[in-house]
Amino acid sequence: MNYFPDEVLEHVFDFVASHRDRNAVSLVCRLWHRVERLSRQRVFVGNCYALSPQILIARFPGLKSLTLKGKPHFADFNLVPHDWGGYVQPWIEALSNSRIGLEELRLKRMVVSDESLELLSRSFANFKSLVLVSCEGFTTVGLAAIAANCRFLRELDLQENEIDDHSGHWLSCFPDSCTSLISLNFACLKGEINLAALERLVARSPNLRSLRLNRAVPLETLQNILMRAPQLVDLGTGSYVHDPDSETYNKLKHTILKCKSIRNLSGFLEVAPRCLPAIYPICLNLTSLNLSYAAGIHGSELVKLIRHCAKLQRLWILDCIGDKGLEVVASTCKELQELRVFPSDPFGVGHAAVTENGLVAISVGCPKLHSLLYFCQQMTNAALIAVAKNCPNFIRFRLCILDPTKPDPVTMQPLDNGFGAIVQSCKRLRRLSLSGLLTDWVFLYIGMYAEQLEMLSVAFAGDSDKGMLYVLNGCKKLRKLEIRDSPFGNKALLTDVGKYETMRSLWMSSCEVTLGGCKTLAKEMPRLNVEIINEHDQMEIGSDEQRVEKMYLYRTLVGPRKDAPEFVWTL
Amino acid sequence: MDGTLGLLGGGSGGGGSSGASANESTVSKVEVVEQDFVGMSSEASSYPAEAELELGLGLSLGGGGAAVKAKPCKWGERGRILTAKDFPSVVSHGSSTPSRFSDTATAAAVGPVSGTKRAADSVCQEGGSPTGGSQVVGWPPIRAYRMNSLVNQAKSQRAEEDKLIGEKDKSPDATKKKIYSKAETNAKEKCHLGFVKVNIDGVPIGRKVDLNAHSCYATLAQMLEDMFFRSATTVKSMGGEEQLTKPSKLLDGSSEFVLTYEDRDGDWMLVGDVPWGMFLGSVKRLRIMRTSEANGLAPRFHERNERQRSKPI
């Protein structure tokens, strides 16, 4: 199709924004492939070991924004050993040696060193945005380098990283000439912060829209900050503790009235509940509220707060809100789209903070709900069937019953029917996490009905290889499958080996897969990396009959990785 | 599946109708199945859709979910038949031999899902020693960052409460409430995943250890020694970590390093002097300090100025 000059094609492609659509565009013909790749600015790499930095640089010379993900998802739950991999250093080195004018870097579950941050800060004159989610390996020294050297920094967003905190002086490293900040999130830092430097930084950042503070920032400072930045749209408080009869608190109440733009609220890492009324005025306009770290707010105060939040679309909360509290959410937050209920006492035995009743109430009151993460003590098939009927729009449905193999407590049946109803009713479901007592039947239903499913998380479920096979055969769009402690073995693994090249990755731990099975798979599929993780010096060549404790396989263009530690075997 | 409910006399009566005629004939089979834990029969090797299954996933309760109107015997055991006694809570089971799952009906699987027990056996977390068996590794699936945050919040809440109690709140109800919630958090803490940070002098990045995986100082010290002094092969050089070459006991003073911890009040103490339980309740983080720097730390007493000196920067 060479009727148009390249520039016209490029202009048209500008309107094609999503990664998937652009990937599709690039497959049409050679011409389109070329125009697309030369004009592509944003690239998403879901598995950093699927390709090499060199391949990326060669294909997309105009790259400005890169997203990279490293460790498998189950690393979040300590199932992947330290030192497994996911280092960003080689990427930054390669990019800095190239002509790429990187402006934005977003990393998830990767190992980032201070050295990497330093190199990053010095290599790209126009660097604007750094977002690190669940990363580790760096300290405040690396942050100081970013602050000091990135002259046009707009965004520094640190979400739930493990950062060694050596001092709060990194904030002072932002030069006085730095006035470009739009977004700053350091809530996950555990140490002290130079408060004066923070206030000065806010004062000279007129474009600041998003600010999330850590625990070390007291209420007085919050007051001062809000005075200077009433234009904030997204606020994460640090410590929210004060005497409600004090001058400072009074001032805060008045200052908050001026902050009419706040739509996202989070934080309250430490909180004095009697100071909460100061924020009621902004609750009216909130669309997003994250109180999942606010363990100091008890159920009744939570409820009082939520009654003010009629426009809420996203709510993250602790289960101390209780079923009754969820009923209040259901009657107040009619626009609710995303709900996450986290356990405040993950190992507590017995007392039911939230149960199936809370979820059903939500489904009745909030029909727009499409994303759910729900930790609860118990669930029934009846409840799930009701939820499926009330909310057919689920895109993400993640249910975690704290006791991993608990059946429906009323009927003592497995929860196959309940989840079956969910997948049958929610035709747009893309992500599903299962829990509770489950047999092969639930997988049958998933294979039959979950046509859009892309990611499935399975734990302690199923009876036989058939379960896994139903899913592999049925879910055509499956990209990520992660399974733990389920009786799936070599037959399930090996029946359709070609499937794995259509997926990003497969994780299986504490299943029935043997070393022999993995070897067979690796031999038949050279474009997969089949990694066996053996932590306890079982590296002596065991027999092929030996069960494999952890297996992680993924498609890749570049063969076995060279940075694998000793306890990881790539077959 | 609901068709089989009728056999056990539990659950909704409505579901019993579809399998009613099959019930009597399969009663004896049920008993076999209860012990012989097979999911789908191996006879039914074809994809279920071909087996004229009506998977009427009606959204009503009474109709009983999947009214499996299967031809008798084509499916054999229709899924599991389960009773309450088959599902002991994970919490009450310690480690025991895992049962095997297999497609063949001859597998004499004893007991219910074994994955949990197997997980309790398997040692997946960094740090070596298995958990006490009362927790399944990596469960519930909460991001480690969030989990640690919960634990730390519980600990500092307890510290707050202790301080308040110390300040002698006169109101009896308030004290009672505080003592009660202190006891509660005490109990909760014991069960919490006790990951604490441990840093060693000379290395900027710390590691994490799960204190709940240990029941005494000896195993903790052993694990730390393995982690920091012997793991030359597994530790990648991400910026020049030292090769530490003195693998001696951290606790007995024979090493050039000594193990210390920061307690709830922010003071640094030598590890090993207080009972293990008390240590667990007050430790916030660990530090492997060079013996030369640790001179200021006395076992039980510490003075303000010495504390200042030994506080890490």
Side-chain angles (χ1 to χ4, degrees):
Chain A
M1 180 154 154
N2 48 0
Y3 308 141
F4 304 127
D6 290 1
E7 299 80 46
V8 175
L9 271 181
E10 197 180 301
H11 183 67
V12 172
F13 292 170
D14 274 350
F15 295 97
V16 179
S18 93
H19 293 294
R20 290 188 199 188
D21 290 342
R22 290 204 69 122
N23 291 346
V25 157
S26 71
L27 293 175
V28 168
C29 62
R30 275 198 225 281
L31 172 64
W32 283 35
H33 187 274
R34 181 167 52 83
V35 173
E36 196 284 318
R37 78 174 183 86
L38 292 175
S39 61
R40 176 106 79 144
Q41 295 188 340
R42 314 184 65 88
V43 176
F44 170 86
V45 177
N47 174 4
C48 65
Y49 290 120
L51 60 144
S52 70
Q54 289 70 26
I55 292 178
L56 177 76
I57 292 167
R59 181 167 170 190
F60 300 114
L63 180 67
K64 288 202 169 23
S65 162
L66 176 63
T67 303
L68 275 176
K69 292 192 181 181
K71 300 187 196 181
H73 176 230
F74 276 177
D76 279 352
F77 319 130
N78 296 320
L79 289 179
V80 176
H82 187 77
D83 291 342
W84 172 86
Y87 305 106
V88 78
Q89 178 71 5
W91 292 85
I92 297 184
E93 272 173 10
L95 286 163
S96 76
N97 288 334
S98 74
R99 292 211 196 156
I100 299 238
L102 195 68
E103 294 184 10
E104 180 177 291
L105 186 62
R106 309 167 78 93
L107 305 177
K108 187 168 185 179
R109 270 181 236 114
M110 293 200 73
V111 178
V112 181
S113 64
D114 285 342
E115 190 191 318
S116 302
L117 291 175
E118 167 97 23
L119 181 58
L120 177 69
S121 73
R122 292 193 188 283
S123 305
F124 308 105
N126 254 337
F127 193 75
K128 296 195 171 74
S129 167
L130 180 64
V131 179
L132 301 177
V133 180
S134 281
C135 296
E136 51 163 0
F138 61 105
T139 76
T140 43
V141 169
L143 295 180
I146 296 286
N149 302 328
C150 300
R151 292 192 302 150
F152 303 115
L153 194 69
R154 291 194 195 160
E155 179 176 27
L156 178 59
D157 185 356
L158 308 169
Q159 297 177 30
E160 300 192 337
N161 302 290
E162 289 296 341
I163 307 175
D164 271 58
D165 210 319
H166 292 169
S167 80
H169 118 104
W170 65 276
L171 255 185
S172 325
C173 292
F174 282 105
D176 289 341
S177 55
C178 174
T179 57
S180 48
L181 267 185
I182 297 180
S183 166
L184 178 63
N185 172 7
F186 58 91
C188 63
L189 279 176
K190 300 197 184 70
E192 298 304 314
I193 279 290
N194 185 330
L195 299 174
L198 174 62
E199 287 188 35
R200 285 196 304 270
L201 180 61
V202 171
R204 64 176 186 276
S205 304
N207 298 321
L208 196 64
R209 291 283 171 275
S210 169
L211 180 63
R212 298 192 188 180
L213 310 169
N214 77 342
R215 185 190 289 265
V217 180
L219 199 130
E220 294 89 354
T221 310
L222 175 66
Q223 208 299 106
N224 294 341
I225 286 174
L226 290 178
M227 283 269 287
R228 299 193 207 257
Q231 78 282 3
L232 281 179
V233 171
D234 177 339
L235 173 66
T237 70
S239 165
Y240 193 79
V241 175
H242 220 279
D243 176 1
D245 297 321
S246 67
E247 175 74 22
T248 309
Y249 179 68
N250 245 321
K251 277 199 237 169
L252 180 68
K253 277 201 289 194
H254 287 112
T255 307
I256 285 191
L257 288 173
K258 301 205 188 89
C259 301
K260 297 186 193 302
S261 305
I262 296 183
R263 298 286 173 272
N264 291 11
L265 187 61
S266 62
F268 300 96
L269 309 171
E270 280 171 1
V271 52
R274 286 175 60 208
C275 293
L276 287 175
I279 62 169
Y280 291 168
I282 46 179
C283 289
L284 243 45
N285 288 321
L286 283 183
T287 54
S288 165
L289 179 61
N290 180 356
L291 296 176
S292 64
Y293 284 100
I297 307 181
H298 299 297
S300 54
E301 287 134 358
L302 271 178
V303 169
K304 260 198 275 181
L305 187 68
I306 285 176
R307 281 194 204 278
H308 290 93
C309 305
K311 296 193 188 157
L312 221 49
Q313 293 172 15
R314 174 165 38 164
L315 177 62
W316 292 23
I317 201 134
L318 288 171
D319 66 359
C320 47
I321 192 175
D323 282 341
K324 290 281 171 239
L326 288 177
E327 285 171 31
V328 174
V329 173
S331 61
T332 311
C333 309
K334 294 307 191 183
E335 302 296 313
L336 198 66
Q337 296 173 21
E338 176 181 336
L339 175 67
R340 295 196 190 189
V341 180
F342 293 96
S344 47
D345 186 12
F347 303 106
V349 189
H351 74 278
V354 294
T355 68
E356 71 274 19
N357 295 323
L359 185 60
V360 172
I362 292 281
S363 74
V364 170
C366 311
K368 295 189 183 178
L369 196 65
H370 60 57
S371 289
L372 179 74
L373 173 60
Y374 195 76
F375 287 83
C376 57
Q377 295 288 337
Q378 63 181 46
M379 183 55 58
T380 63
N381 282 312
L384 285 174
I385 290 169
V387 169
K389 185 165 168 211
N390 296 332
C391 293
N393 296 320
F394 274 116
I395 299 175
R396 295 170 206 96
F397 190 88
R398 295 153 73 192
L399 183 70
C400 178
I401 301 168
L402 291 171
D403 183 350
T405 52
K406 193 168 177 161
D408 178 329
V410 171
T411 64
M412 300 316 290
Q413 292 294 297
L415 292 176
D416 303 328
N417 288 359
F419 279 106
I422 294 284
V423 292
Q424 190 190 30
S425 163
C426 304
K427 309 220 185 295
R428 277 178 266 170
L429 194 68
R430 297 206 302 251
R431 182 171 179 181
L432 179 64
S433 296
L434 306 172
S435 62
L437 184 70
L438 296 163
T439 72
D440 283 346
W441 281 102
V442 72
F443 299 108
L444 171 69
Y445 299 147
I446 292 172
M448 272 179 77
Y449 294 113
E451 292 176 7
Q452 302 299 320
L453 194 67
E454 297 178 7
M455 180 170 178
L456 179 64
S457 306
V458 176
F460 307 100
D463 309 316
S464 75
D465 288 328
K466 290 195 178 77
M468 185 167 159
L469 284 171
Y470 292 143
V471 171
L472 291 176
N473 291 336
C475 299
K476 300 300 177 204
K477 298 206 176 173
L478 194 65
R479 293 189 299 117
K480 290 182 279 182
L481 180 58
E482 46 186 26
I483 305 173
R484 63 166 292 182
D485 294 277
S486 301
F488 307 133
N490 293 339
K491 178 164 174 229
L493 183 68
L494 297 173
T495 296
D496 179 8
V497 294
K499 173 82 175 172
Y500 306 125
E501 272 191 11
T502 70
M503 292 168 54
R504 184 190 297 174
S505 64
L506 168 67
W507 168 282
M508 291 180 76
S509 61
S510 302
C511 296
E512 299 290 320
V513 169
T514 69
L515 186 57
C518 294
K519 283 184 182 172
T520 306
L521 176 59
K523 193 153 171 219
E524 284 185 47
M525 302 293 295
R527 288 197 298 188
L528 298 179
N529 277 352
V530 180
E531 293 189 6
I532 309 293
I533 299 172
N534 264 319
E535 293 168 84
H536 308 107
D537 290 336
Q538 290 156 15
M539 299 304 281
E540 316 91 43
I541 314 294
S543 84
D544 282 0
E545 304 312 311
Q546 200 183 322
R547 265 187 353 226
V548 156
E549 194 50 48
K550 294 177 185 172
M551 178 202 74
Y552 178 55
L553 68 82
Y554 52 90
R555 64 182 176 189
T556 177
L557 295 174
V558 291
R561 57 191 176 107
K562 300 185 178 47
D563 63 2
E566 287 209 355
F567 53 83
V568 171
W569 261 356
T570 307
L571 297 177
Chain B
M1 264 107 18
D2 279 275
T4 60
L5 266 180
L7 289 168
L8 304 175
S12 63
S17 54
S18 57
S21 56
N23 286 2
E24 277 83 18
S25 58
T26 53
V27 161
S28 51
K29 226 179 185 179
V30 170
E31 274 142 24
V32 171
V33 170
E34 270 183 295
Q35 271 127 34
D36 181 346
F37 236 104
V38 181
M40 308 282 214
S41 156
S42 58
E43 315 160 303
S45 54
S46 56
Y47 198 86
E50 300 157 28
E52 296 167 272
L53 248 185
E54 252 186 74
L55 286 175
L57 278 182
L59 295 178
S60 61
L61 226 200
V68 177
K69 298 194 182 82
K71 309 281 182 244
C73 294
K74 171 99 181 186
W75 276 101
E77 298 86 25
R78 299 178 234 138
R80 274 203 208 123
I81 296 167
L82 308 154
T83 60
K85 66 178 185 291
D86 294 322
F87 307 108
S89 146
V90 170
V91 178
S92 57
H93 267 66
S95 47
S96 51
T97 50
S99 48
R100 295 249 154 218
F101 286 87
S102 101
D103 267 359
T104 63
T106 49
V110 176
V113 180
S114 72
T116 55
K117 295 181 211 152
R118 189 140 46 91
D121 283 344
S122 76
V123 184
C124 305
Q125 53 193 97
E126 130 185 320
S129 334
T131 61
S134 62
Q135 291 166 26
V136 177
V137 173
W139 192 268
I142 299 174
R143 207 173 255 178
Y145 175 89
R146 185 178 285 279
M147 197 74 106
N148 295 336
S149 189
L150 270 180
V151 174
N152 289 334
Q153 265 172 343
K155 279 197 183 151
S156 45
Q157 234 174 343
R158 211 181 116 192
E160 279 297 310
E161 281 154 14
D162 282 355
K163 276 196 195 126
L164 289 168
I165 290 175
E167 282 160 14
K168 287 186 192 137
D169 193 318
K170 295 292 182 199
S171 145
D173 288 312
T175 357
K176 223 194 300 178
K177 212 189 330 178
K178 278 166 203 152
I179 291 171
Y180 173 71
S181 48
K182 182 185 174 185
E184 211 179 33
T185 28
N186 240 327
K188 283 182 200 174
E189 270 177 50
K190 295 273 158 61
C191 303
H192 276 153
L193 216 56
F195 274 95
V196 295
K197 199 84 146 308
V198 49
N199 283 72
I200 185 168
D201 283 357
V203 176
I205 311 294
R207 299 283 298 271
K208 284 240 158 104
V209 294
D210 179 14
L211 292 179
N212 280 348
H214 300 276
S215 51
C216 64
Y217 289 115
T219 56
L220 174 64
Q222 185 62 51
M223 196 262 289
L224 288 174
E225 282 167 32
D226 285 343
M227 195 186 277
F228 287 99
F229 298 104
R230 289 196 191 101
S231 56
T233 48
T234 52
V235 171
K236 298 295 280 196
S237 55
M238 292 179 331
E241 283 169 294
E242 299 178 350
Q243 286 300 310
L244 301 156
T245 52
K246 297 234 172 100
S248 339
K249 294 276 179 192
L250 282 168
L251 290 180
D252 64 7
S254 62
S255 161
E256 76 170 275
F257 287 91
V258 73
L259 184 58
T260 65
Y261 72 102
E262 183 183 13
D263 72 1
R264 282 185 289 144
D265 301 323
D267 300 317
W268 287 87
M269 322 268 274
L270 283 176
V271 165
D273 293 320
V274 301
W276 176 256
M278 198 184 297
F279 166 71
L280 270 193
S282 60
V283 59
K284 273 184 15 194
R285 55 183 167 142
L286 297 168
R287 178 176 161 201
I288 302 177
M289 216 183 267
R290 289 185 200 286
T291 316
S292 44
E293 282 190 35
N295 280 335
L297 296 178
R300 269 178 250 284
F301 313 105
H302 46 271
E303 292 158 37
R304 297 269 141 185
N305 50 348
E306 283 185 324
R307 175 166 44 106
Q308 292 295 62
R309 234 191 297 136
S310 55
K311 219 173 194 158
I313 320 158

